[in-house]
Amino acid sequence: LFQDVVKNGKKSKYFNWFYIDGDKPDFKKRNYLTFANVGNMPKLNTSNPEVIKYFSDVTLYWADLGVDGFRLDVAFEVSYHFWNVIKSDLLKKHPDAFFIGEDWLTSEKRLDNYQWDSLMNYPFRYALGRYIKEDNKDSKWISERLSSLYVRYNNIYNHMMLNLLDSHDIERWYNVVNFDRDKYFLTFAILMFYPGVPMIYYGDEIFMEGWNDPFNRRGMEWDSKEFNGKDHQIFKQLLGLKKFDSIKTGDVRFGEENGVAFIRRFTNKESYTLYFYKGEKPLNFSVKSVIFSNNYENGEFQKTGFVMVKD
């Protein structure tokens, strides 16, 4: 489409699909708007009804083939009206279709104005990153921070939030925790207990390393010895926590007790609590009915670790 504009200028039927200053695009002068200031990614006018119709048809094409949902890349740079129309057109034919928007901040307006159903919860990731890396971010801080993030959205959106620790756009989480598996397990336990949909990036389960792009996008290590290791089994146990009804769909409470943070998930029939501690020194903390733990024995956190109990 853009090449047609390059060739025909204002005579092209796609001229108004882009933002062009002049009669035709000039790559050297860069007289057109782009994404991320990259010349070969001209910016579409997503307020143009013809552009909206084009992408609505594309979305319906894939939905008709059986695609259930869409992750919307850089969706915060697209006009509100664009998503309103596309979602409305899609739901008329596919009422269960699901939109996950990419936004690195908070997106209350995008969710509450009939545009997306969910979003990539980067603020959740930022909070856990600061908790793990900054010494002054203690149990009280993380419990208050997680609670603050939770109350930004209504309950429906919280349970559909796509929670993540790493992705193709950021350094791998194993690097973030400085290759400390105790901190790694702790944060994935929080990820499982936090309301919403946990996103596991390929290779997380075998502790793949990778700094920022392109090192975070290396191919999957299918022959990794980690698949046969005990730590891989711990990771699988963590993922299995989502089998508990209360952790899947229950209500939530955040808090702190005697230097230990906790997340409690509960329904009318069951309740489970995850207690977690960040530190290098042992800490006495007595609980009963232990279901699953790491670095917790005989009423004591030996160091950074967690313990899940049945209330």
Side-chain angles (χ1 to χ4, degrees):
L1 307 181
F2 190 69
Q3 288 301 317
D4 189 84
V5 180
V6 170
K7 179 180 179 181
N8 299 305
K10 285 188 174 181
K11 293 181 180 180
S12 170
K13 64 178 181 179
Y14 305 115
F15 185 83
N16 291 323
W17 286 37
F18 304 92
Y19 297 94
I20 302 165
D21 182 14
D23 294 332
K24 63 166 49 180
D26 187 311
F27 186 80
K28 290 183 179 180
K29 293 181 179 179
R30 198 68 59 81
N31 63 334
Y32 52 93
L33 295 185
T34 65
F35 169 70
N37 198 34
V38 178
N40 59 3
M41 291 199 287
K43 189 176 180 66
L44 283 156
N45 178 2
T46 56
S47 295
N48 184 325
E50 293 178 351
V51 173
I52 296 173
K53 175 64 166 58
Y54 175 86
F55 281 100
S56 179
D57 290 345
V58 168
T59 307
L60 283 167
Y61 170 84
W62 289 106
D64 288 345
L65 288 177
V67 172
D68 297 309
F70 299 83
R71 181 262 188 186
L72 313 172
D73 192 54
V74 201
F76 55 90
E77 289 200 8
V78 177
S79 75
Y80 279 57
H81 183 59
F82 179 92
W83 293 127
N84 285 139
V85 173
I86 287 186
K87 187 176 182 185
S88 178
D89 289 348
L90 180 63
L91 293 184
K92 290 174 185 175
K93 195 172 181 182
H94 300 277
D96 293 329
F98 193 66
F99 273 8
I100 301 174
E102 181 195 14
D103 194 341
W104 292 54
L105 302 175
T106 54
S107 290
E108 293 93 329
K109 291 182 179 180
R110 296 285 189 174
L111 294 178
D112 291 335
N113 285 285
Y114 200 67
Q115 295 184 60
W116 311 337
D117 302 293
S118 174
L119 63 92
M120 299 180 74
N121 196 357
Y122 275 98
F124 169 81
R125 189 253 188 195
Y126 299 151
L128 292 194
R130 295 189 66 188
Y131 170 61
I132 287 299
K133 296 175 74 172
E134 299 178 25
D135 291 339
N136 64 337
K137 298 300 182 283
D138 58 11
S139 296
K140 186 173 186 295
W141 183 89
I142 190 60
S143 64
E144 291 178 349
R145 185 61 181 156
L146 291 177
S147 179
S148 174
L149 290 174
Y150 182 77
V151 299
R152 292 187 181 191
Y153 303 101
N154 69 42
N155 208 36
I156 294 175
Y157 293 126
N158 276 317
H159 283 275
M160 296 193 293
M161 199 68 66
L162 184 69
N163 303 318
L164 69 151
L165 295 177
D166 52 4
S167 77
H168 62 289
D169 285 324
I170 48 182
E171 64 180 313
R172 283 190 171 271
W173 192 248
Y174 195 41
N175 291 69
V176 173
V177 302
N178 198 26
F179 317 109
D180 185 322
R181 297 200 178 186
D182 292 325
K183 292 179 179 178
Y184 197 74
F185 290 143
L186 168 61
T187 48
F188 274 96
I190 296 172
L191 177 67
M192 291 301 114
F193 255 76
Y194 194 82
V197 182
M199 186 186 103
I200 308 302
Y201 190 46
Y202 76 92
D204 283 347
E205 71 276 29
I206 53 170
F207 315 98
M208 276 185 64
E209 301 176 18
W211 298 109
N212 287 316
D213 198 352
F215 305 105
N216 54 352
R217 305 190 190 201
R218 289 185 176 127
M220 178 64 177
E221 298 173 4
W222 294 109
D223 58 350
S224 171
K225 296 179 180 179
E226 293 288 355
F227 282 116
N228 298 317
K230 63 180 181 64
D231 286 348
H232 178 64
Q233 297 305 314
I234 294 175
F235 195 92
K236 288 175 69 174
Q237 282 183 276
L238 286 170
L239 300 190
L241 297 181
K242 278 296 182 185
K243 294 180 180 180
F244 292 87
D245 288 339
S246 58
I247 300 175
K248 241 188 315 196
T249 60
D251 291 328
V252 63
R253 181 188 170 199
F254 304 95
E256 182 264 345
E257 294 179 7
N258 302 320
V260 176
F262 71 82
I263 304 174
R264 181 166 295 127
R265 300 298 304 276
F266 56 94
T267 65
N268 292 333
K269 296 181 179 180
E270 65 177 33
S271 175
Y272 295 94
T273 301
L274 177 75
Y275 293 99
F276 54 97
Y277 165 70
K278 179 191 72 171
E280 297 303 321
K281 297 179 180 180
L283 179 71
N284 290 324
F285 189 80
S286 181
V287 295
K288 298 179 180 179
S289 304
V290 174
I291 304 295
F292 180 32
S293 68
N294 186 53
N295 287 336
Y296 179 87
E297 291 182 11
N298 302 319
E300 180 181 81
F301 282 107
Q302 299 167 335
K303 55 179 179 177
T304 293
F306 66 85
V307 57
M308 171 186 171
V309 304
K310 181 175 176 61
D311 298 315

